[in-house]
Amino acid sequence: MTLYPRFAAHLNAALDALVAAGDLPAGLPTQAITIEPPRDPSHGDLATNAAMVLAKPAGTNPRALAEKLAAALGALDEVASVAVAGPGFLNLTLTDATWRGELAAIRAAGGAYGRSTSGQGVTVNVEYVSANPTGPMHMGHCRGAVVGDALATLLEWAGHKVVREYYINDAGGQVDVLARSVHLRYREALGEAVTIPEGLYPGDYLVPIGQALAAEFGDRYQGAPEAEWLALFRARAVAAMMDLIRADLALLGIHHNVFASEAALQAAKKPEAAEADLRARGLVYDGMLEAPKGETPEDWEPVMLPLFKSTEFGDDQDRPIKKSTGQWTYFGADLAYHYQKAQAADQLIDIWGADHAGTVKRIQAAVAALTGGKTRFDVKLVQMVRLLRDGEPVKMSKRAGNFVTLADVVNEVGKDVVRFTMLTRKADAQMDFDFAKVVEASKDNPVFYVQYAHARIRSLHRKAAELGIGADGADLALLDAAELGLVKRAAQFPRLVEAAAAAREPHRVAFYLYDLAAEFHAAWNAGNDAPDRRFLISDNPPLTAARLFLADALGQVIRNGLTIMGVEAVEELN
């Protein structure tokens, strides 16, 4: 058990003892109790709000309760001192031996350090990317892809069973447009001179599909009416696009478990099943939408439609699940899709572009209705990335065919740079991706700064080995307070994993790694001015061994964090 869960157990034992002694009533709510590093390190190593949280429901004075807890916790061998602060906060200072023990635990756990069982028994479906299958992946899709994939791995580290899912939007009008675009390329492959009209996809990526269809079918569909070839060309085009998308995602190290088809969903009558379920519970009714706010269009007429009572779940109006033509609305199809996902998972997470913000409330309302409020459902909105080259924005337009593909960017700067950069800001914050800055060898580039820390540690290991110095059997008592300060930062990693997973925020891992790397670099650079602070001191093998042990543990934490991010920990930088 790592340090923070262990002290949570110590605190629970102290509270149980107070209950047994009659100093506290049983059954008090403890969910809001925290054990965390104090904001000011001078206050100690750990702080807890237990007395502040429990005093009111227990009908006691918080400071008096804190004094009783201080007596119990202060008796622990791992605790050097306990102070009651303010109205009842507890600040604990731990012994150096405790921190040396945690350092040894980090190195012993290795690649498992930071893994948790907090999510054990909970299946989470994470749906991400889900780009329309009308072309290769472009940088508009990249950030959501990385955020979703890193979040899925983060949840696995927290003990959840995770299903990575991609929803193929292959039932809408855009795939008919794709099929017509491919038909033009098919005719072009047969020798026709074609012009791509406005509204179709002009990209050259459709040329090979047209050529393949021409080789397979000859001129059979060249002059045939659309009804004869549309379904076939649509199926072939979508399949080819999904192959292209899978290949693009693989460049980022992204692989989904499930590819769910909207067309298959509708063919299986899942929207009808969801509608029947909701009607039986009085949550779908036939009604008329209100007239549009503002100036009403001349051709607007009230139409009776099946409406979902989304206002009962916090939405601002009830939503139609079918159009007047009898086709399912986007919302109706999405409702059925989430109904399907919720039957196989305890929690759902969708990663959406920020342009879908307006539909969050209604789909959350639908999931709440379909699952009786039992399924946690989070929608993470991801802002677009602005590409810059030489300080100027790089224009992208999928329909114009001159967009910047994900493959182009990965091939230029590398998978690890792309993935790390996408996680250097909160997902809902705007981001600039400057081709020059993301490969810059400076402290201002988090990708380089963290990788450099790991490379330095691996270099240290190699140089120590050349001197015959290893970390095994090192005397950790030789580490001083400054060096144990690095251990204190490293020991926060397991707690960080659990907190980031609970908040659905993988960017916290990147922030943490940057802070850890910064503290390591500061310790390393101290040796430039003071030779006795160097990690490698050839004429002092015992001290070098202790510092090598410390560095190895820090490197392990960096590797574990980068693993969650899907980034390789490099051995050396060129």
Side-chain angles (χ1 to χ4, degrees):
M1 185 183 295
T2 56
L3 186 136
Y4 284 89
R6 190 165 71 251
F7 272 84
H10 289 327
L11 178 59
N12 287 336
L15 292 171
D16 289 343
L18 292 177
V19 171
D23 293 326
L24 279 179
L28 292 175
T30 59
Q31 297 90 337
I33 293 177
T34 60
I35 295 183
E36 57 192 2
R39 292 183 181 179
D40 185 345
S42 68
H43 292 167
D45 297 323
L46 301 177
T48 179
N49 61 352
M52 300 291 294
V53 169
L54 299 178
K56 186 174 182 179
T60 189
N61 178 277
R63 191 171 179 90
L65 176 55
E67 295 286 359
K68 293 177 181 178
L69 286 173
L73 295 174
L76 296 170
D77 290 340
E78 295 172 281
V79 176
S81 64
V82 183
V84 178
F89 289 102
L90 277 177
N91 292 323
L92 286 71
T93 299
L94 308 185
T95 65
D96 289 350
T98 300
W99 290 115
R100 289 195 291 269
E102 189 66 15
L103 174 59
I106 294 171
R107 199 162 180 271
Y113 188 74
R115 288 191 179 272
S116 166
T117 59
S118 61
Q120 193 167 15
V122 177
T123 298
V124 185
N125 180 295
V126 185
E127 183 228 319
Y128 56 107
V129 188
S130 299
N132 288 339
T134 53
M137 300 291 295
H138 59 71
M139 282 301 287
H141 305 124
C142 180
R143 193 176 185 188
V146 172
V147 168
D149 198 57
L151 175 55
T153 304
L154 175 64
L155 291 166
E156 288 172 339
W157 271 67
H160 299 82
K161 178 182 178 182
V162 177
V163 178
R164 291 165 155 88
E165 185 155 334
Y166 186 116
Y167 184 42
I168 307 171
N169 300 111
D170 55 356
Q174 79 279 354
V175 290
D176 288 340
V177 174
L178 176 68
R180 295 182 185 111
S181 304
V182 167
H183 188 259
L184 277 178
R185 295 300 189 178
Y186 159 75
R187 288 163 49 194
E188 182 180 49
L190 292 171
E192 273 192 55
V194 300
T195 300
I196 310 297
E198 184 75 21
L200 296 190
Y201 297 114
D204 289 343
Y205 58 85
L206 297 179
V207 171
I209 306 172
Q211 292 172 340
L213 288 166
E216 181 176 359
F217 297 109
D219 62 0
R220 184 186 310 177
Y221 300 112
Q222 186 171 12
E226 183 178 284
E228 290 186 17
W229 54 260
L230 185 65
L232 171 65
F233 277 54
R234 181 173 57 220
R236 293 296 181 87
V238 168
M241 289 301 97
M242 288 309 302
D243 286 343
L244 193 60
I245 287 170
R246 287 186 182 93
D248 286 344
L249 290 173
L251 293 175
L252 279 176
I254 294 174
H255 306 277
H256 291 79
N257 306 120
V258 176
F259 286 85
S261 161
E262 181 184 1
L265 187 85
Q266 295 193 22
K269 304 295 184 183
K270 292 298 179 69
E272 286 86 350
E275 179 185 5
D277 185 334
L278 292 171
R279 278 190 184 274
R281 290 189 274 145
L283 293 172
V284 166
Y285 66 98
D286 293 322
M288 287 185 288
L289 293 175
E290 296 180 5
K293 294 180 180 179
E295 187 174 343
T296 303
E298 292 182 5
D299 59 351
W300 184 84
E301 294 181 6
V303 179
M304 189 71 68
L305 297 171
L307 303 177
F308 167 62
K309 290 184 179 179
S310 54
T311 50
E312 291 192 7
F313 300 89
D315 201 358
D316 52 5
Q317 67 179 45
D318 292 342
R319 304 290 177 175
I321 60 174
K322 279 186 177 179
K323 303 175 184 178
S324 58
T325 60
Q327 294 177 306
W328 296 100
T329 61
Y330 283 117
F331 173 65
D334 282 351
L335 183 151
Y337 169 56
H338 285 82
Y339 185 50
Q340 173 177 278
K341 288 199 293 184
Q343 292 172 336
D346 304 301
Q347 299 178 1
L348 306 179
I349 301 173
D350 287 359
I351 310 296
W352 291 356
D355 56 328
H356 290 82
T359 63
V360 172
K361 275 190 178 180
R362 70 191 70 168
I363 200 65
Q364 286 180 327
V367 172
L370 290 164
T371 66
K374 296 178 181 178
T375 299
R376 176 178 173 180
F377 174 45
D378 295 296
V379 177
K380 303 297 291 185
L381 296 176
V382 179
Q383 288 286 351
M384 291 285 286
V385 177
R386 188 174 68 143
L387 291 178
L388 300 174
R389 190 182 295 280
D390 298 324
E392 295 296 323
V394 179
K395 295 181 180 179
M396 318 185 275
S397 172
K398 190 168 188 177
R399 286 188 176 272
N402 64 350
F403 55 87
V404 178
T405 68
L406 182 152
D408 290 337
V409 177
V410 173
N411 290 333
E412 179 171 342
V413 302
K415 169 183 77 73
D416 291 340
V417 168
V418 173
R419 287 192 66 120
F420 199 116
T421 303
M422 292 298 122
L423 295 169
T424 53
R425 300 200 69 183
K426 291 186 65 173
D428 59 359
Q430 296 286 343
M431 171 178 281
D432 286 346
F433 185 99
D434 190 304
F435 281 91
K437 290 184 178 179
V438 298
V439 295
E440 187 177 79
S442 78
K443 180 181 178 180
D444 296 329
N445 178 8
V447 187
F448 167 80
Y449 203 53
V450 173
Q451 292 280 34
Y452 187 33
H454 187 267
R456 267 182 162 172
I457 290 168
R458 298 307 297 156
S459 174
L460 169 66
H461 193 279
R462 291 190 295 271
K463 291 178 180 177
E466 291 173 3
L467 296 173
I469 302 173
D472 293 339
D475 182 4
L476 301 185
L478 297 174
L479 299 176
D480 61 19
E483 289 156 340
L484 292 181
L486 288 169
V487 181
K488 295 176 184 181
R489 174 70 69 179
Q492 293 181 30
F493 182 65
R495 175 176 169 272
L496 177 279
V497 169
E498 289 191 357
R504 311 326 199 191
E505 293 186 339
H507 70 270
R508 293 192 188 188
V509 178
F511 290 8
Y512 167 83
L513 291 181
Y514 183 85
D515 290 342
L516 180 62
E519 292 191 19
F520 168 74
H521 285 306
W524 182 282
N525 293 334
N528 295 332
D529 299 321
D532 63 314
R533 301 303 305 171
R534 291 174 182 168
F535 277 76
L536 183 64
I537 303 176
S538 59
D539 59 357
N540 193 341
L543 182 57
T544 295
R547 290 176 177 173
L548 180 61
F549 192 108
L550 169 63
D552 280 356
L554 298 178
Q556 185 65 67
V557 173
I558 291 173
R559 284 194 296 279
N560 293 357
L562 291 176
T563 296
I564 293 173
M565 297 172 67
V567 175
E568 180 187 357
V570 298
E571 292 288 309
E572 56 186 346
L573 290 175
N574 297 326

